[in-house]
Amino acid sequence: MALALAVCAGPVRAQLIEKLPEEMQGVGVDDKSGSQVPLDLRFRDENGKAITLAEVFTGDRPVLLSLNYSDCPMLCGLQLNGLFDTLAEITEAKGWTPGREFDVVSVSVDPLETTLRAKQTEQKYLQRYGRAGAAEGVRFLTGNQENIRALADAVGFRYKYVPDTREYSHTAAEIVVTPKGVVSRYLYGVAYDPQTLRLSLIEAADGKIGSPLDQIILFCFHYDETKGRYGPVARRVMSVGAGVTIFAMCAGLLPYWLRRTPSSAAANDATSINPAEPQAAEREPNEVA
């Protein structure tokens, strides 16, 4: 069941399935981009400390938010494996680290999950990630049914409990959230393209992270919901190309313009006139003679 949900994680692909099994009906993700996450909801972190989401969304960094649970037999593990493997690639290439450029938050959909179990899951993925200092920006939260459901509804995450298997039926989606708790984008599935994930974080941070080149790339590329990644926008690419061409032309002509200063131009004009004057003076005595 979990694997089937992973395959049909994206909303477009889900529409291709005419009839879902009963345990999967009503499960999925509603795109609520632009919605505010209720920051007053209370949870417990992996150390058992009671916190509000306002203490997680501090306004400093974008957040990668997902709803999982530690005893999930397959899908949650696949999703978190894919996420942390991609984050390791981004860290290797760009030096980005949770707690500095972004945060990672997983909220358990199981109200019976203990903080001890959440702590074990946190340690498992920190070890998989293998980067010092990452614990500052990785959180695994647990809470009561009311607050879990309120958060899930706010971000459009539809899930259900299946009594026969004692499991939760859900899909796989990474929710990119701005530093102030506004839903920015959804990334579906269990494997994530490093550039797509990185650009999504840059976009959510509103330019507060990333290099100037990243901003140019983000300007030239548009997120394609059907493909789940950023693709080039022809008009923007042409605009940037034209700007680069003009800059290159100006840079090439600059040395010539610098040589053509007013003083050098005047000197050149004087040189072109003065040689004729001595010739006129030489002719005058001859004419008198």
Side-chain angles (χ1 to χ4, degrees):
M1 176 182 67
L3 182 58
L5 285 170
V7 173
C8 63
V12 175
R13 284 170 290 178
Q15 294 173 2
L16 299 177
I17 301 178
E18 294 182 358
K19 188 174 181 179
L20 294 171
E22 182 180 352
E23 62 269 18
M24 294 170 61
Q25 292 180 11
V27 172
V29 176
D30 298 321
D31 191 327
K32 292 194 175 182
S33 299
S35 298
Q36 175 67 53
V37 172
L39 300 181
D40 59 338
L41 295 178
R42 300 187 67 84
F43 293 89
R44 288 190 179 276
D45 68 11
E46 62 282 350
N47 297 312
K49 178 184 176 183
I51 62 172
T52 64
L53 290 182
E55 297 176 68
V56 177
F57 295 87
T58 60
D60 297 327
R61 298 178 294 274
V63 176
L64 293 171
L65 172 68
S66 60
L67 284 88
N68 314 104
Y69 69 109
S70 294
D71 292 330
C72 180
M74 184 180 295
L75 184 56
C76 295
L78 291 174
Q79 180 185 355
L80 291 173
N81 287 347
L83 174 64
F84 279 92
D85 288 349
T86 301
L87 291 179
E89 291 185 45
I90 294 174
T91 300
E92 184 70 24
K94 299 293 182 180
W96 290 15
T97 306
R100 192 174 62 193
E101 283 81 15
F102 62 93
D103 291 320
V104 178
V105 178
S106 175
V107 178
S108 176
V109 298
D110 182 3
L112 299 181
E113 182 168 330
T114 65
T115 55
L116 176 60
R117 187 72 179 93
K119 183 68 175 181
Q120 293 172 341
T121 305
E122 179 213 33
Q123 292 300 316
K124 171 185 176 181
Y125 286 102
L126 286 176
Q127 183 176 6
R128 185 184 186 97
Y129 183 55
R131 298 299 188 276
E136 296 296 324
V138 177
R139 317 297 293 272
F140 281 79
L141 309 183
T142 56
N144 60 42
Q145 181 64 46
E146 181 182 359
N147 287 348
I148 295 170
R149 183 64 67 178
L151 174 60
D153 290 344
V155 298
F157 189 84
R158 292 183 280 110
Y159 69 99
K160 64 191 294 186
Y161 180 67
V162 182
D164 292 344
T165 60
R166 296 183 180 182
E167 298 173 6
Y168 286 88
S169 181
H170 64 93
T171 188
E174 201 66 38
I175 307 166
V176 186
V177 187
T178 71
K180 294 184 179 180
V182 177
V183 176
S184 175
R185 186 165 306 290
Y186 296 83
L187 303 177
Y188 301 100
V190 297
Y192 306 99
D193 174 65
Q195 176 171 276
T196 297
L197 185 57
R198 185 171 59 85
L199 291 178
S200 296
L201 287 169
I202 294 171
E203 183 180 44
D206 195 21
K208 293 181 180 179
I209 61 176
S211 66
L213 179 58
D214 290 328
Q215 303 302 322
I216 294 175
I217 293 174
L218 192 60
F219 175 78
C220 293
F221 284 71
H222 173 73
Y223 187 76
D224 188 337
E225 296 282 356
T226 61
K227 297 180 179 179
R229 63 175 184 267
Y230 286 85
V233 179
R235 183 176 299 177
R236 290 184 177 181
V237 173
M238 290 175 65
S239 297
V240 173
V244 172
T245 301
I246 293 173
F247 175 79
M249 291 176 62
C250 291
L253 292 172
L254 184 60
Y256 173 76
W257 289 336
L258 291 177
R259 288 195 298 267
R260 292 287 297 174
T261 59
S263 58
S264 62
N268 290 337
D269 292 341
T271 304
S272 64
I273 295 173
N274 290 339
E277 294 179 355
Q279 294 175 4
E282 292 174 358
R283 287 196 299 269
E284 290 178 1
N286 294 333
E287 294 174 356
V288 173

